[in-house]
Amino acid sequence: MNHDTRPSPPTTAGPSTRTVCGAPCWVSLTSRDLQATEEFYRAVLGWEWRSAKLGDRFRIALVDGAPVAGIAAVASMWQMAVAWTPYFAVPSADDAVSRVQERGGTAAVGPISLPPGRAALLADRDGATFGIWEGELFTDWETWRKAAPAFIRLHTRDAFDAAIFYGEVLDWASERPGCVEVRYEGDEVVLRSHGEIVARIESGALGAAPDPTIRPHWQIHFRVADVAACCRAAERHGGSVLREGSEEAVLRDADGAQFTVTSRSEA
C-alpha cells in the first residue's frame, strides 16, 4: 500500500496493478510513535524519510532516493497491531476482498480510496495479515522490488493449502498476463514474478500458539550490507535480536514489529 497520495504519472509512464498481477508491490508498517520509528529504521537500515500527503502520521522511507516502504503511526488510534504488512497488486480490490471472504478469510479495513488507488487490509483463513492495492504503482515496480524487500515469506500451517487460497484470491498461476508463477520446491512453495523470486511459503506455523512469531504471519525480508551491524544497531536503539546468523537475522523494532535482514549476497 502506498501512503503517498500525490498525483501519479500517466498510465504509460509506469506499471499499474493490471500489469503486476498478484505480486507484492509495497510494504507498510503500522507503528505508535512516528519519530521513534523513523530514528530506529534510519539507524538500522539507513533509511531517509519524507512526508506523505495523507497527513502528519504518515511517512515514506527512501533508499538512494527511491521509495521503499510506508510508515503509518495509527496503531493506537485505529487499535491495530504494530506490524509490517505486505501489499499485493490486484486489478480489482472489490473482487479480491470478495474472494477472501468466500474462502474463509476476513476483511479488517476497506476497500478504501487512497488516490491514486484503493486498498484493503485482510487476513487469510489462518489469520496471517496482508493487504491488497488496486491502481497505479507509486514507483517503478522493478526499482522498488530491488531496493526494498529481498522477498517476503509466509509462515503458515500448511504451505500448499495457503498457496491455493492466495492463488485463487490473487490469480496466481492463471492465464492472466504477468501473473505470479507458483513452483513447489521441496517443502516450500516458491513464487516468481517476471522470473524473479518475490515470495516463499513454508509450513510449520501453529495457529493457536501464544508466541506471535510462531503463529501464521507474513515476514518481510530487507536486503542489507552487514547483518551483524544491523543487529547491533537494533539493540542500541531499543530493539532486539530474535535470531541471528551470519547471513540473516530476525529483529524486532523498538515498537515490537518483527522483520528480517538478509545479506545482499544471499538475497
Side-chain angles (χ1 to χ4, degrees):
M1 187 173 99
N2 185 349
H3 294 313
D4 200 325
T5 59
R6 69 194 67 191
S8 62
T11 302
T12 55
S16 75
T17 57
R18 294 188 178 277
T19 56
V20 181
C21 177
C25 63
W26 191 245
V27 292
S28 181
L29 171 64
T30 52
S31 73
R32 297 186 184 93
D33 186 325
L34 190 61
Q35 182 177 350
T37 299
E38 288 184 4
E39 292 173 356
F40 178 88
Y41 286 96
R42 181 182 290 112
V44 176
L45 298 180
W47 288 352
E48 295 301 323
W49 299 94
R50 80 172 187 208
S51 60
K53 292 292 183 69
L54 284 179
D56 293 339
R57 294 178 179 271
F58 299 87
R59 293 289 188 275
I60 300 294
L62 306 173
V63 171
D64 296 329
V68 296
I71 305 295
V74 297
S76 299
M77 182 175 66
W78 292 353
Q79 297 184 333
M80 297 174 65
V82 173
W84 277 103
T85 302
Y87 281 76
F88 295 85
V90 297
S92 169
D94 291 323
D95 288 349
V97 170
S98 294
R99 291 177 182 182
V100 166
Q101 294 173 323
E102 289 167 358
R103 289 159 179 79
T106 57
V109 178
I112 58 175
S113 178
L114 293 172
R118 301 175 73 229
L121 186 64
L122 311 167
D124 66 25
R125 53 192 170 212
D126 285 321
T129 301
F130 67 103
I132 54 169
W133 173 256
E134 170 198 348
E136 298 302 312
L137 301 184
F138 176 62
T139 188
D140 179 75
W141 182 78
E142 285 290 342
T143 300
W144 174 82
R145 185 186 61 77
K146 292 174 181 177
F151 55 88
I152 59 176
R153 186 187 297 272
L154 175 62
H155 301 267
T156 190
R157 177 185 53 80
D158 185 314
F160 304 108
D161 181 69
I164 293 172
F165 172 88
Y166 285 95
E168 292 176 344
V169 170
L170 301 172
D171 282 325
W172 291 349
S174 67
E175 296 181 356
R176 186 182 292 276
C179 71
V180 167
E181 304 166 5
V182 179
R183 296 287 184 272
Y184 297 91
E185 300 180 6
D187 294 331
E188 283 191 330
V189 178
V190 179
L191 308 169
R192 289 180 171 83
S193 181
H194 302 286
E196 299 290 334
I197 295 176
V198 293
R200 298 177 186 269
I201 302 175
E202 66 178 15
S203 303
L206 301 176
D211 184 349
T213 66
I214 299 175
R215 293 198 298 267
H217 68 282
W218 281 98
Q219 186 80 355
I220 312 295
H221 293 241
F222 293 106
R223 290 184 177 92
V224 299
D226 189 329
V227 170
C230 288
C231 293
R232 305 293 80 78
E235 291 173 326
R236 288 195 303 271
H237 290 81
S240 57
V241 179
L242 303 181
R243 186 173 67 250
E244 181 176 356
S246 60
E247 301 295 337
E248 187 171 280
V250 180
L251 308 179
R252 182 174 286 149
D253 70 19
D255 216 8
Q258 181 178 308
F259 63 102
T260 297
V261 291
T262 300
S263 171
R264 287 179 180 152
S265 63
E266 294 295 310

